[in-house]
Amino acid sequence: MSNLSTRAEQLAAFDRLLTIMDELRAQCPWDMKQTTESLRHLTIEETFELSDAILDGDPEEIKKELGDILLHIVFYAKIGSEEGNFDVTTLIDALCEKLIRRHPHIYGDTEANDAETVSQNWEKIKLKEKGNKSVLGGVPRSLPALIKAMRIQEKARGVGFDWEEKHQVWEKVEEEMQEFKAEFNAADDKEIDQEKASGEFGDLLFSLINYARFIDINPEEALERTNKKFIKRFQYLENAAKNAGKNLSDMTLAEMDVFWEEAKKQ
């Protein structure tokens, strides 16, 4: 049986959610006391939980976490209506109008036959709408540095400031690697300039993120997958050591490496 619903069923489900939100806001002590500020950190947490579900490839968890985020959106809209600032109607209408404005190739006479052109048009329209003095003005200040680097590069590309070929980007990676090595040579025991070495390391990371973008790798997702892989293997190492009656802190690196190699085969 298909899980897909009709438009009437979708509207009815959304209406039911709005009704429940009204009831909770009027009757539940916890829901009654919430503010946009108190919900903020919970929304961030829900977004990261959705990210985990996506990386795990778990459709049921994705559905659950999307539901939680939808609840938060409806909750913010309810608070906005109480404060006389906006409600779910004005929120959705504003979104629809923005989507229409930013897709002139669908709703206007602009031509865009590939995703790259669509993306460039989107950034140009967004820049004009927001009145930012800088193309990079729309990048949230509080974004994690790795994601921020990726968004900065994408926005610069949106106005044509980018490398033309991926081999040029890789040459930049190698150049930054050599500069970093010059500041932090593993074979040299002399004290290094930490501030300068940190700057060179930042440049190297930025160039690697740039190359990842050129070959369609999301560096944030790639690193998180590696994090998850390391956690899984390390926990195998911990359990294997425990089953062998050993304590990790008392084992040599060579002894731990035996279990680590086993973990890689799991």
Side-chain angles (χ1 to χ4, degrees), residues 73-255:
I73 293 171
V74 170
F75 211 147
Y76 286 119
K78 178 63 178 176
I79 295 172
S81 68
E82 293 170 353
E83 297 175 346
N85 296 324
F86 57 86
D87 63 11
V88 73
T89 303
T90 56
L91 184 156
I92 293 174
D93 282 346
L95 172 60
C96 290
E97 292 301 321
K98 180 172 71 173
L99 289 173
I100 291 170
R101 286 195 310 273
R102 294 189 184 178
H103 290 81
H105 54 291
I106 302 297
Y107 301 103
D109 54 10
T110 300
E111 288 191 14
N113 298 317
D114 56 72
E116 179 66 22
T117 304
V118 172
S119 180
Q120 291 179 357
N121 288 342
W122 179 284
E123 290 299 338
K124 290 175 183 176
I125 296 169
K126 186 175 180 180
L127 184 64
K128 184 177 180 180
E129 284 178 356
K130 292 197 171 186
N132 290 333
K133 295 180 180 179
S134 169
V135 170
L136 307 181
V139 179
R141 295 187 305 274
S142 59
L143 273 181
L146 194 151
I147 299 176
K148 184 187 289 186
M150 184 171 61
R151 293 297 293 134
I152 287 171
Q153 293 168 5
E154 290 172 345
K155 285 187 174 293
R157 180 178 180 81
V159 293
F161 186 78
D162 202 4
W163 300 95
E164 294 180 351
E165 303 291 341
K166 67 180 181 181
H167 72 83
Q168 297 172 312
V169 190
W170 184 251
E171 288 170 2
K172 185 62 177 176
V173 171
E174 292 181 321
E175 175 189 327
E176 296 295 351
M177 177 66 81
Q178 290 304 314
E179 290 182 7
F180 176 68
K181 184 178 179 182
E183 292 302 321
F184 184 58
N185 191 329
D188 193 339
D189 292 331
K190 71 178 182 180
E191 187 174 349
I192 66 169
D193 184 329
Q194 289 288 345
E195 184 174 350
K196 192 172 182 181
S198 178
E200 295 295 350
F201 185 69
D203 292 345
L204 174 58
L205 280 179
F206 194 84
S207 66
L208 279 169
I209 292 168
N210 216 353
Y211 187 72
R213 181 174 57 85
F214 254 76
I215 57 175
D216 295 323
I217 291 176
N218 183 308
E220 169 69 19
E221 290 183 5
L223 182 58
E224 181 57 14
R225 289 182 189 280
T226 297
N227 288 340
K228 287 178 176 292
K229 181 169 61 177
F230 183 91
I231 290 171
K232 181 180 179 181
R233 290 176 179 177
F234 191 82
Q235 289 176 341
Y236 176 93
L237 165 64
E238 289 178 313
N239 290 330
K242 182 178 180 181
N243 292 336
K246 298 181 179 180
N247 190 319
L248 281 184
S249 59
D250 297 327
M251 295 173 63
T252 66
L253 186 58
E255 289 174 324

